[in-house]
Each structure stands twice: as C-alpha cells, then as structure tokens.
Amino acid sequence: MPRLLIINHFRLGDIVHTLPIAYHYHQLGWSVDYECADQYHSLFDLVNYARPVLADDRRSDYDDAVNLQVWPDRFVEWQESGMKLFDFVYRRFAGVDRTIRLAPAPHIDVPESVSSSTLVFPCGHSSTTNHHPKLVQATAE
C-alpha cells in the first residue's frame, strides 16, 4: 500500500477543510498520514482514514508528500490568484469531493445525540473573513 504524507501545520479550519483530500487518497488505497501540530491530533479521533503525525525528518519514508499550506510560501501566489482560499488549495485536486467526512475511531463511543447532531465550529478568525460564533450558531439553527 503506498504511503502519502499530507503537510498542513496551521489552523484547525484548514485541516478540517482539507480532510476530503485525505479521504480521497484513502479511497484510492493509500495509507495517509497527516502532519500537523500536536494540538490538532485529537481531531483525528473522528477520522478513521488518516493518522496524525508530528513533523520530523522522515519524509523519505513516504511514496508521496503533499504540502497544503498556503502560508508562508504560497501566500503571495494565492493573493494574486484572486481565488477563494480553498478553491486555490483544491485546484491541484480536480474532481475531489469536498464533503467533510467524520468517522470516529473504534475506541470512541459516540452517543446517539452527538452522532445525529451537526458539528459547528467558528473558523476564519485568522483570515480576512471573521465569522462570529453566535452568528454561525444562529445560522445553523
């Protein structure tokens, strides 16, 4: 089974929005590791198709690596493109279904009330569009 490393160290929203790329590769038969900050590793308790890893110098252990980070190396390119952030990130992955799929790990006991709920979290606080959490919640209701 080929091994893929996805690199994306920044912001919870960026990681959640790019999980469909991990899922896509998983569906194609890849073993997917997702390199991100330790503070985001618990998110992967809700994902059974990718495994969180810390940054290290063992990137040669992978058959391929995909760097999804825009900041800092691709920020100017993104700004000059005029594209929305995730349209810019996903342009390299044409045809990938951008549906975010959560599938809890087997050791996570999810109560029915949670499994039939909608996950809402504020994002955009560090980008140009700021969504107030109360407005996000009111809109979701």
Side-chain angles (χ1 to χ4, degrees), residues 5 12 46-47 67 79 90 94 96 99 104 121 123 130:
L5 178 66
L12 176 63
L46 300 175
V47 174
N67 187 344
Q79 291 289 292
Y90 272 86
V96 170
T99 301
F121 63 96
C123 42
N130 190 326

Side-chain angles (χ1 to χ4, degrees), residues 54-126:
L54 292 172
D56 62 26
D57 50 349
R58 295 175 18 161
R59 290 187 178 165
S60 63
D61 292 351
Y62 294 90
D63 297 293
D64 199 0
V66 177
N67 187 344
L68 300 179
Q69 298 180 152
V70 172
W71 179 261
D73 297 336
R74 297 171 55 218
F75 184 78
V76 172
E77 179 187 355
W78 166 54
Q79 291 289 292
E80 290 175 351
S81 77
M83 300 173 80
K84 292 182 179 179
L85 177 62
F86 291 106
D87 290 341
F88 178 79
V89 171
Y90 272 86
R91 73 182 179 173
R92 296 172 21 202
F93 306 96
V96 170
D97 178 358
R98 290 166 66 167
T99 301
I100 298 167
R101 290 173 174 81
L102 300 180
H107 69 278
I108 303 295
D109 183 24
V110 180
E112 176 58 33
S113 61
V114 172
S115 64
S116 62
S117 299
T118 300
L119 177 65
V120 177
F121 63 96
C123 42
H125 287 284
S126 57

